[in-house]
Amino acid sequence: MNVRSQVAMVFHLDKCIGCHTCSIACKNVWTDRKGTEYMWWNNVETKPGTGYPTAWEDQEKFSGGWEVVDGELRLRSTGRARIVANIFHNPHMPSMDDYYEPWTYDYQELFNAPEGEDQPTAKPLSMVTGEYIDIEAGPNWDDDLGGSPIYAANDPNLEGLSAEQRAQLQAVEQLVFFYFPRICNHCLNPSCVAACPSGALYKRGEDGIVLLDQKRCRAWRACVAACPYKKTFYNWYTGKSEKCILCYPRLETGQAPACFHSCVGRIRYLGVLLYDADRIDEVAKLPDHELVEAHRSLILDPHDPRVIEEARRSGIHDSVIESAQQSPVYKFVKVWKLALPPHIEFRTLPMLFYVPPMSPLQASKDGDLLYHPSGDLFHDIEHSRVPMKFLANLFGAGNEAGVRYALRKQKAVRAHRRALTVGDVDAATAARMLREADTTPEEAEAIYRLTALCTFEERFVIPPMHREEALEMLEDPLTTKQATGFGFLSAPRRGM
Amino acid sequence: MKLKNGNPWIQDEADAGLRSWEEFYRNRWQHDRIVRSTHGVNCTGGCSWQIYVKNGIVTWEMQGLDYPSLEAGLPPYEPRGCQRGISFSWYLYSPLRVKYPYLRGALLDLWREARAQHDDPVAAWKSLVDDEAKRQRWQKARGKGGFRRVDWDTALEIMAAATLHTVKTHGPDRVAGFSPIPAMSMISYASGARFLQLLGGVSLSFYDWYCDLPSASPETWGEQTDVHESADWYNAKLLAVMGSNLNMTRTPDCHFAAEARHNGSKMWVFSPDFNQVAKYADEWVAIHAGQDGAWWMAVDHVLLTELHHQRQVPYFIDYTKRFTDAPLLVELRQDGDHCEAGQLLRANRLAPYAAVENGEWKFLMWDEKSARPRMPMGSVGDRWAKQETGKWNLLLEDGVDREPLDPALTFLGDQTVAVRFDDFGEGTSHRRHVPVRKVALADGTIVTVATVYDLLMAQYGVDRGLAGDYPKGYDDDAPYTPAWQEKYTGMARDVVVRFAREWGRTAELTRGKCTVIIGAGINHWYHGNLMYRAAIHALMFCGCVGVNGGGLAHYVGQEKLAPGESWSAIAFGRDWYPASRLQNAPSWHYVHTDQWRYERSFTDYHTVPQVDRPSFAQGHTMDLQARAVRSGWLPFYPQFERNPLELVRQAEAAGAKSEQEIADWVVEELKARRLRFAIEDPDAPENWPRVWFIWRGNALMASAKGHEYFLKHYLGTHDNSIAQEMAGGSVQDVEWRLPAPTGKMDLVVDLNFRMDTSALYSDLVLPAATWYEKADLNSTDMHSFIHPLSKAVPPCWESKSDWAIFRALAKKVSELAPRHFPAPVKDLVASPLGHDSAAEIAQPAIRDWMAGETEAIPGKTMPALRVVERDLTQLYERYIAFGPLARQNGLNAHGTQYAIDDLYDEAVAHGPTVRVGDLVCPSLDADEQVCDTILKFASVTNGELAWRSYKNMEAKVGLPLAHHAEKNRGARVGYKDLQSQPRRFVNSPMWSGLIENGRAYSPFTYNVESLVPWRTLTGRQHFYLDHPLYLDFGEHLPTYKPRPLPTEYADLRVTEDESRRGTAKLLNYLTPHGKWHIHSTYGDNQRMTTLSRGVEPFWMNDRDAEELGIVDNDWVEVFNDHGVVVTRAAVSARIPRGLAIQYHSPERTYSVPRSPLRGHRRAGGHNSLTRTRLKPNLMAGGYGQFTFHFNYWGPIGCNRDTHVLVRKLPALEW
């Protein structure tokens, strides 16, 4: 056992309102400069939909993540050896067409236009060329476009749905969408790190944050191709790639990452997971349908004395272990099994997990009239608008069991609370539903509280980062205290 | 350290030196200062924001998280703030920022020329506006570029000169200002309003104009709007969300709905499109657009049938008796072979009550115990009693002998009579029998009466075995059964029945915890009030109003200005003058933009009862509008065709000495028709508004329903309307002038931080400080905290706070005034009958003094007339001083009142103060001083004043109330307290929710728990609206009225119907609130345009698009008689066929191409396709809750019934 600690995350999709506040919180602080215009370290997608960059989930096109070849894990994009051979050409690299051409407007026209025959207007201007452009794409182009014959209908996660099921998603009876916010997953088995010829990417030992060294990066962009989530981006101005840093300057000072802080849907949770690093390789090679369970099995019980002992041996601070014991992520992922990893079949072992969303009851149509089939207060999860298969393709490598389990448990918790607060679901029925959902009244209460009543401190259990210990390796922290902030800043430069 | 298993990519960076680069991102995170502010943007969010400053530059904003927690068991408020708010910092240093004053070049040249010839700026202005060619020179240039930077002195001089010239030549009531929604930044609102009111100018309303005012709220509750803070949604066990897209428009509060679901609440969402909030629903009811009223009528049918008739739920019955007008007696009038429901029977018509005070305004219930009609307390007659005080309460006791009453809800079992009930859906009527009793009046006549409850049972079609056209069960297609609603809503009857049963069961088990969250998606329809009432009735029948987790949560607009008493005194100059000029904007714009000229009788589109007798429900809206003004129901400015200053001079010349004599003289002039109201001839040049100040709002675009008519008739510049005038011959009481005037406005001034459409079309654009550059206050009904706006950085470039701008203007006016107004002048101010005053019992019947039907009595049968003496040379001194009238009169709002003399003196003693002549007053010089003055003298932020206010209310009500303020009597909140942490209000009788100990605000809990009446005719919640206008319009009972048809509605009379050729489609055009903007703000910033599509697209159905050959992101041309829009299509099946959405509200300032269809001119914005229409019965006045108050009562600016044609744009032209 090799116990490591990781700051891990849960996004509760049932609560996500698709507002994109997270995206802008991030952009304001981190990617509001030259060369980063098109970077959205945090973005939010409408599902079904094609996302950003367009169709990123389609690894036939982008060849991100890992594959198992002859019993060994291999990058789909390229290996370290192969990258040298193909260093100036990576056929799977997304291009500006897959992203978009950032634009602004000729706003000054409104102030400066001389008096004329008609009203001036500020025309769109490319931020790349400075020329007027016709806007054909953006980072959130298919927002709220459920039912779109161009976008929603081409979501890769629709695989396995019959033609009839697909058609239903374009009709009032089953039309639906939900939101899918994404940041870097800070994976246990990060393909971006593995792909870098310069060794510029690394996973921090103390918290598992995957970083891209702005000095060592040599702009090969192998990380861009290798990340199946397309969460590293190339900065054309500095000539360095950049990615989500999980706001480590904030985490290090006990503050939640900006996108977490700003989440008004209150869907985000953050906390430490302890995991067994020795088993990463073994787990990442398992067949698709076993991956969700196996990934969860990597996560260790922070209350287990053996785990605690091993953790200490790995140099994990007691305060971090205590933090792991309070971790909301541990509860959602490991104890309650409500949160699932996205596209586990990419085999990077993401450390961001999603609670799959409930969705409205399907309708049926007869002539001009719409009917709702269910007679129950809370409808059968099999009659929800989002097809189980679709969720399974996103969160279970096609395996529906985990998704069904999570949805059934959410419904049972609701019935339990209904029985307590209203009484039109009787106690016996609620108890039966809890049993059938593999849960207990105590657990249901805990789920309810952390889902509904959660405070900031309950959602984000940020481990102490002990910066003094980290600094100590470099210089005396007292010296740091006295001298910090002095000096001349110099931004990374192309080629350096 | 490499891992044992040899995954070389997972490693610690053991070499600390290699990690020193991490400083790169840490450096970015560093900042120098964090300042708390918020956004003044009418989103209702009212979020606490922390503004980060680095090197003196605002770098970004993050939400504040330190809201005090509410009671245990409620989720916390943190964080609050949305994608739009967090993008605000972009504006500060953006290329869209207005950094300096800009003046239209054509005007600047003329001005310089005139100033060279005239030493006096007022004379210079006169020389320009008196020369029609010159005037048109800059009018025609409006919106067409040519701005030039000017200095502040020039800008102020032009404004002051135009203002003084207008006051002198035409009257102060020709100087108007529009600024919306004070709650979003109340000091900034107050700046211009105070300037105008001290001057005698006109403040235009907003809440009704925006169509945010839910008319059904004053109709039912006598309340503008009072709703739940969002945390209270969590207490609801059934949430019905209709016309309110919580994700879009309540973004920071939406989580409470999601979280309630995880606590076992059921959520239904009603919406024609699969919208964002539908994602959250347990059940999405894909109801046909604008047919929600039909749904709720059927819901009420089921609720009454099953829970009031077949089984009587004790809680529901008891609640209905105590808290609604259901037991009150209605007089039935015989009309041929049937009866018609009439007005409520007045108490003084019965012998035992013949002599009671205000007996005409007290009502009757049938007491079961004494078996006779008895008079309960709590009516408007009790409220305004002068002798018999202390009886304005909801105790079920006789108002004379205080004996307990046991009111009968129904006379079922007694004799019945046939009563006529209109079926507007089918354009027919039904006869249904209603149980009645006979009552002997004091004069010996016998009248037939029914209870409101029995009339409701009959109207809703509940089969109680009575004779007549009652439906025989839910499957009978007759009003208002589940089967009946199918043809309107598209929803099967089973769904309605199941919904109603879930509703009823939830309400029964929880004692009323069903909440309707409702908004613009319903309120913006022409018949929105009827849809609201039908839903409200489901709440009232089930005891859901006035309980936590129950009631109507209407959210459209940030109307709740919490510290209202002190703020309104300052904003409307009541600390100096007793009268102000507050104009309902819907009427003003309808009249002055001449939109009334483009329609005929309102019955072209408004279905009314077909009766043989004379009825008010016929004719042209404009005639009823004119009648409403002369009857004192609605305000209208200018008041008269003469300058009100001149009018006083004339009265005095004729010998009038006192205020009374001046008023008498004016009344005689009016009666003799020697003097006419301006409304009678609005297009006469002397009746035009001349100078218009716009600040904090986008008056020419975002809210300008009939935008193209604004361009034409106000501005005199180009427009894209092709509509034809057609009111000639249709209007009777109003002069029809040909041709219609264009370019009424001499000067349009806009204060702005960004170059929006209103700025672009104004003559003068002034650089306003942003929300991170000034001190101000913000409150909302979404939560119970009050927030500061703060200066994170000083106002950038040459910008100034709104307060500072109007202060500077006041100073300039005072400087220029002595030459033109050396002595004080007297101004005659006409005001309508006012809500929350004794004028609520002014007009028991509709009598027109002009037709000789009654005496002309100011303040009773016609507008009140006050004489106000103004000294324009002192405008500035008064602007910056909290005046003595506040000390003398105390403060009030919503009918409450309290004294402040001791606190005023304390403020004078401790300063800061200013001198006005011999007076020393608390200072209002600086923005922050205004904030503190408001907080110090408001009941929600000063517990002592709340206590006093409750004490005064006790005298009216006759029940103990002050205990609501005991615990917080010592609470005081100042501006700096707000900057350090959000503070919650304290209980105050100004508001109807009780919020002690962290209890979530739910409206009317005060009324239900403390038995304080609603501010209505009967003091109860009203099912029945017995105003004669309502009887004539057939809206006395809840009902269903069909949507106006497109051609009748005059959207498409002239436009060629290309849909016949298959090249275009006719679609219902909806403009709900969007995701990437709050109204028009934010939508033009680089963040929001990037996350959307760079334009506000036209959302349409995929098959509709396909039939026109339109694919996603194609350019489309959208048009009707009013104007044209060119934008791109967003194509999705989530939009139903026949319907289109363009989210409110795009600017025409960016990314708008030209329209080939309309002369290749620049296309417009969403309001280029709309126009305004007023619903005449909402003009009623002087009668209980039907009494005017600014933003509170009056017709509203509806727009949902608009239709357009859409086609693929033939060629893109910039």
Side-chain angles (χ1 to χ4, degrees), chain B residues 1171-1191:
Chain B
R1171 54 154 300 170
T1172 189
R1173 294 172 185 79
L1174 309 181
K1175 193 168 173 177
N1177 46 319
L1178 301 177
M1179 295 177 181
Y1183 187 93
Q1185 68 264 45
F1186 306 98
T1187 305
F1188 179 75
H1189 192 287
F1190 192 52
N1191 293 305

Side-chain angles (χ1 to χ4, degrees), chain A residues 2 4 13-21 24-25 28-30 32 100 103 105 107-108 110-111 113-123 127 134-136 139-141 143-147 151 170 175 177 179 188-189 193 202-206 211-214 216 242 245 248 250 252 261-264 266 277-278 358 360-361 369-372 374 377-379 410 414 417-418 421-422 448 452-453 455-456 459 467 489 492, chain B residues 1 3-5 9-13 18-19 21-22 24-29 61-63 65 73 75-76 78-79 81-83 86 90 95-97 102 137 141 143-146 234 237 247 251 254-255 259 261-266 274 276 278-284 286 486 490 492 498 502 506 760-761 1075-1076 1084 1086-1091 1093-1094 1099 1112-1113 1128 1131-1134 1148-1152 1154 1161-1162 1214:
Chain A
N2 177 11
R4 316 288 302 198
L13 293 189
D14 191 64
K15 295 179 74 180
C16 184
I17 60 181
C19 67
H20 303 250
T21 313
I24 297 168
N28 276 349
V29 181
W30 301 122
D32 202 12
Y100 68 104
W103 74 89
Y105 297 84
Y107 292 113
Q108 281 292 298
L110 303 173
F111 295 83
E115 187 182 323
E117 279 306 297
D118 207 345
Q119 182 214 297
T121 198
K123 282 156 62 179
M127 291 168 92
D134 203 22
I135 302 160
E136 297 288 351
N140 186 36
W141 194 249
D143 189 76
D144 290 340
L145 268 170
Y151 307 106
Q170 310 281 320
L175 184 79
F177 60 78
Y179 300 105
L188 291 186
N189 186 33
V193 177
Y202 59 99
K203 188 171 176 69
R204 298 213 305 193
E206 66 269 34
L211 289 181
L212 202 164
D213 187 329
Q214 293 297 291
R216 270 195 280 177
E242 294 192 52
I245 58 171
Y248 66 82
R250 287 175 56 90
E252 287 169 356
H261 177 114
S262 66
C263 177
V264 288
R266 295 160 36 94
D278 279 349
M358 298 182 279
L361 174 64
L369 290 181
L370 270 183
Y371 292 79
H372 288 196
S374 171
L377 190 72
F378 301 131
H379 60 266
Q410 286 187 66
R414 294 184 69 197
R417 291 299 303 170
R418 183 83 187 179
T421 56
V422 182
Y448 152 65
L453 294 177
T455 62
F456 197 80
R459 298 200 301 284
R467 287 290 297 148
L489 298 178
Chain B
M1 179 180 68
L3 294 176
K4 278 180 281 181
N5 68 8
W9 47 90
I10 301 175
Q11 56 185 316
D12 294 337
E13 286 281 12
L18 282 177
R19 287 180 54 175
W21 80 269
E22 289 178 7
F24 175 64
Y25 291 117
R26 287 195 193 102
N27 290 338
R28 168 62 180 171
W29 174 247
E61 54 277 271
M62 300 274 282
Q63 297 108 323
L65 301 173
E78 51 80 8
C82 72
Q83 71 273 30
I86 203 167
W90 181 88
L96 199 52
R97 179 78 197 258
Y102 287 93
R137 173 66 190 89
K144 297 177 188 165
Y234 191 77
K237 301 314 296 186
N247 304 45
T251 312
C254 195
H255 67 90
E259 286 157 350
R261 293 173 60 234
H262 288 271
N263 189 24
S265 303
K266 172 90 183 254
F274 188 86
Q276 291 69 22
K279 165 220 182 254
Y280 263 165
D282 287 299
E283 301 194 39
W284 166 46
E486 285 181 343
R498 192 161 52 77
E502 281 184 13
T506 303
L760 193 71
Y761 277 82
K1075 188 165 183 172
W1076 309 110
D1084 54 4
Q1086 202 266 340
R1087 291 274 184 282
M1088 297 291 107
T1089 51
T1090 296
L1091 282 181
R1093 286 184 163 208
W1099 288 78
D1112 189 71
N1113 206 40
R1128 307 186 89 142
V1131 175
S1132 166
R1134 83 168 185 81
R1148 52 190 299 176
T1149 49
Y1150 68 99
S1151 226
V1152 174
R1154 293 167 189 270
R1161 297 206 70 99
R1162 182 82 53 219
W1214 288 103

Side-chain angles (χ1 to χ4, degrees), chain B residues 882 886-888 890-891 898-905 937 945 948:
Chain B
F882 188 41
R887 183 188 186 283
Q888 184 188 314
L891 299 176
Y898 52 82
I900 60 161
D901 49 346
D902 52 341
L903 291 182
Y904 186 98
D905 294 343
F937 292 102
L945 298 179
R948 288 181 194 177

Side-chain angles (χ1 to χ4, degrees), chain B residues 822-1102:
Chain B
V825 289
K826 286 184 185 156
D827 180 10
L828 183 86
V829 181
S831 316
L833 308 176
H835 198 284
D836 291 322
S837 80
E840 289 181 345
I841 55 172
Q843 297 187 11
I846 299 182
R847 300 261 187 273
D848 186 0
W849 60 265
M850 201 179 266
E853 295 166 7
T854 183
E855 278 301 301
I857 308 169
K860 181 130 179 84
T861 63
M862 65 184 300
L865 299 172
R866 297 292 304 261
V867 178
V868 170
E869 188 171 291
R870 304 181 199 278
D871 184 347
L872 296 184
T873 66
Q874 272 201 359
L875 192 67
Y876 169 67
E877 286 174 279
R878 294 189 175 198
Y879 181 91
I880 61 168
F882 188 41
L885 226 51
R887 183 188 186 283
Q888 184 188 314
N889 295 344
L891 299 176
N892 59 78
H894 295 187
T896 65
Q897 199 277 332
Y898 52 82
I900 60 161
D901 49 346
D902 52 341
L903 291 182
Y904 186 98
D905 294 343
E906 190 185 296
V908 169
H910 297 294
T913 57
V914 289
R915 258 184 191 285
V916 185
D918 296 336
L919 283 169
V920 182
C921 303
S923 170
L924 299 178
D925 187 32
D927 305 40
E928 196 172 322
Q929 292 166 355
V930 189
C931 295
D932 269 326
T933 305
I934 286 171
L935 294 168
K936 187 182 179 71
F937 292 102
S939 62
V940 292
T941 45
N942 183 333
E944 168 63 21
L945 298 179
W947 187 84
R948 288 181 194 177
S949 195
Y950 277 118
K951 270 295 185 200
N952 288 335
M953 193 54 74
E954 282 182 349
K956 249 185 157 50
V957 172
L959 293 172
L961 298 170
H963 57 280
H964 291 305
E966 288 291 355
K967 279 188 206 150
N968 289 312
R969 198 169 165 184
R972 302 286 186 280
V973 176
Y975 178 71
K976 289 209 158 45
D977 299 319
L978 301 179
Q979 286 182 303
S980 66
Q981 195 193 10
R983 299 298 165 101
R984 204 162 187 240
F985 316 149
V986 298
N987 278 343
S988 156
M990 184 185 167
W991 300 104
S992 75
L994 297 173
I995 58 171
E996 252 176 15
N997 301 328
R999 178 179 175 184
Y1001 188 101
S1002 178
F1004 309 125
T1005 45
Y1006 172 55
N1007 305 86
V1008 166
E1009 292 174 28
S1010 290
L1011 302 181
V1012 175
W1014 279 267
R1015 285 139 56 213
T1016 60
L1017 194 66
T1018 65
R1020 275 89 182 151
Q1021 306 179 72
H1022 270 247
F1023 286 113
Y1024 194 73
L1025 307 179
D1026 81 335
H1027 189 280
L1029 270 187
Y1030 275 72
L1031 290 164
D1032 276 1
F1033 276 81
E1035 297 191 10
H1036 52 304
L1037 283 161
T1039 191
Y1040 170 85
K1041 284 190 176 178
R1043 292 177 45 185
L1045 293 175
T1047 45
E1048 295 166 340
Y1049 210 44
D1051 288 330
L1052 291 158
R1053 282 180 194 263
V1054 187
T1055 303
E1056 187 207 337
D1057 186 2
E1058 281 193 42
S1059 63
R1060 296 212 183 101
R1061 287 192 274 125
T1063 52
K1065 256 184 198 300
L1066 177 72
L1067 301 173
N1068 181 197
Y1069 176 69
L1070 307 183
T1071 55
H1073 292 160
K1075 188 165 183 172
W1076 309 110
H1077 29 81
I1078 296 297
H1079 312 293
S1080 60
T1081 308
Y1082 301 114
D1084 54 4
N1085 81 36
Q1086 202 266 340
R1087 291 274 184 282
M1088 297 291 107
T1089 51
T1090 296
L1091 282 181
S1092 52
R1093 286 184 163 208
V1095 292
E1096 188 54 63
F1098 184 79
W1099 288 78
M1100 61 189 299
N1101 176 271
D1102 55 338

